[in-house]
Amino acid sequence: MDPIQDAVTFFESQEPGEELSYTEVAKRYNINRVTLARRHQGVQTTRAAAKVNKQKLSHEQEIELVEYIEGLTQRALPPTR
């Protein structure tokens, strides 16, 4: 895991009564405090998660579309929009 995810996991594993600041945890894991706070609060996601969220089609839909186009190509039909 990356250090930010380790810090978020550590932050979430603390008991409800324990008071930890983002600054303390960020210093412990040597990461940016603002990034830690945003990730913990759900405002910011990882780049991989952001990429998945921006995709227009799911992975299964992409596979189905490719199979459909290949089927049209085998029958010598042009793929439509």
Side-chain angles (χ1 to χ4, degrees), residues 12-47:
E12 291 174 347
S13 70
Q14 298 305 307
E15 295 295 322
E18 284 186 68
E19 294 273 335
L20 282 177
S21 70
Y22 289 120
T23 304
E24 293 172 7
V25 176
K27 283 182 183 178
R28 180 180 296 178
Y29 285 89
N30 195 27
I31 56 176
N32 186 298
R33 180 195 61 80
V34 175
T35 303
L36 172 61
R38 287 180 179 164
R39 185 80 58 87
H40 181 250
Q41 295 168 359
V43 175
Q44 183 177 356
T45 61
T46 63
R47 287 184 180 176

